[in-house]
Amino acid sequence: MAECIFCKIAEGSIPSKKIYEDDMVLAFYDISPEAPVHFLVIPKKHISSVNEVDEENSKIIAHIFTVINKIVKELNIAEGGYRIVNNCGVDGGQTVNHMHFHVLGGRTLQWPPG
Ligand code: 5GP
Ligand code: ZN
């Protein structure tokens, strides 16, 4: 996707503060953090949102969660707790139309969201 900012981050043409990368996914710090720890995990292949998930491409989501599991331990937020967020569509507050999972931690988070 030529105009997708997260595709550009995945291919490296827009820089990011990377935490983890493999052939399928990239994890990087959010540019505008909402918690002491706030990073994003994206598939390198463009998937617009959870609305586009199917039996074939959903394997990436299981992989994303195993990557999150590894990173939260490395960043020492596993024990204290954290939140994984996926915003989908306009009402869900999605602003970048390349599926991504936010991971927020390092402070007590409020619930419910607004
Ligand atoms: P959404 O609102 O779509 O769920 O989340 C998009 C997130 O991407 C926001 O938290 C925003 O701060 C982050 N973001 C937008 N542009 C960039 C960027 O160029 N670099 C990084 N690292 N994060 C970005
Ligand atoms: Zn994209």
Side-chain angles (χ1 to χ4, degrees), residues 24-25 41-45 47 49-69 84 86 99-101:
M24 289 188 284
V25 304
V41 190
I42 64 170
K44 286 190 168 176
K45 181 172 170 277
I47 299 172
S49 77
V50 171
N51 285 340
E52 308 304 320
V53 170
D54 58 27
E55 283 299 330
E56 200 170 317
N57 66 17
S58 62
K59 292 174 187 68
I60 195 76
I61 295 176
H63 183 56
I64 284 171
F65 274 69
T66 65
V67 166
I68 290 172
N69 178 298
I84 300 170
N86 172 260
M99 184 179 72
H100 51 280
F101 292 86

Side-chain angles (χ1 to χ4, degrees), residues 1 4 6-7 46 97-98:
M1 288 280 283
C4 173
F6 283 2
C7 281
H46 185 88
N97 292 325
H98 179 130

Side-chain angles (χ1 to χ4, degrees), residues 17 29 33-39 75 77 103-109:
K17 209 172 152 195
Y29 285 103
E34 296 290 348
V37 176
H38 184 180
F39 64 90
L75 298 181
I77 59 169
V103 180
L104 301 121
R107 67 170 170 85
T108 301
L109 301 164

